[in-house]
Amino acid sequence: QVRLLESGGGLVQPGGSLRLSCAASGSILKINAMGWYRQAPGKQRELVAGVNSAGVASYADSVNGRFTISSDNAENTVYLQMNSLKPEDTAVYYCKTDYVNRAFATGGAWGQGTPVTVSS
C-alpha cells in the first residue's frame, strides 16, 4: 500500500515561517500530482497548493505569494514553504498524492495531517 508521512507542523508567531514535508512510500511507479490541503475547526477541507508531474504549481488566492510548493520526484516528496504566516492560516494541513503503482494502476492517498498554529 501507499502511505504518506507528513512533518513540519507546529506553533509559530504571526509573520513567521514553517516548512512542511510529505514523503510517499510504497509501490509507487510514478507520482501524477501532489498537493496540500488544510482544514480549520468548523470549516471544510480546502486546497492550498498543488503541483503536477510537469512541475506546474497552483495556489489558493489566500496563500498566493506567501506559500511555495515544491517536489523532489526522485524521493516522492513534496514540500510546502509557508512564509508571512497569519492567524487565519491555523489549521490541520493534509498531504495528498495521485499516483501510478508498480502494477500500472492509478490510485490516491492522504496523509494523517500535521497541525499548524499561528498565534502570538
Side-chain angles (χ1 to χ4, degrees):
Q1 60 179 331
V2 174
R3 294 182 176 181
L4 301 180
L5 179 61
E6 300 159 312
S7 62
L11 172 65
V12 296
Q13 292 184 317
S17 298
L18 283 175
R19 183 176 174 85
L20 306 183
S21 299
C22 174
S25 62
S27 299
I28 299 173
L29 179 64
K30 179 180 180 294
I31 298 292
N32 288 331
M34 298 191 80
W36 288 96
Y37 295 71
R38 68 186 182 188
Q39 187 167 19
K43 295 189 175 182
Q44 296 185 13
R45 189 173 299 185
E46 63 176 349
L47 176 65
V48 176
V51 61
N52 64 18
S53 60
V56 178
S58 60
Y59 301 92
D61 289 341
S62 59
V63 307
N64 193 36
R66 299 186 297 119
F67 291 9
T68 302
I69 188 170
S70 61
S71 62
D72 183 339
N73 293 334
E75 300 295 330
N76 291 331
T77 301
V78 66
Y79 306 92
L80 185 67
Q81 179 67 46
M82 305 185 294
N83 299 325
S84 302
L85 283 162
K86 304 175 181 179
E88 51 263 44
D89 294 319
T90 296
V92 177
Y93 285 70
Y94 297 88
C95 177
K96 181 182 184 294
T97 183
D98 298 321
Y99 62 87
V100 179
N101 69 15
R102 298 190 185 279
F104 303 100
T106 59
W110 287 89
Q112 295 295 308
T114 183
V116 171
T117 301
V118 184
S119 177
S120 59

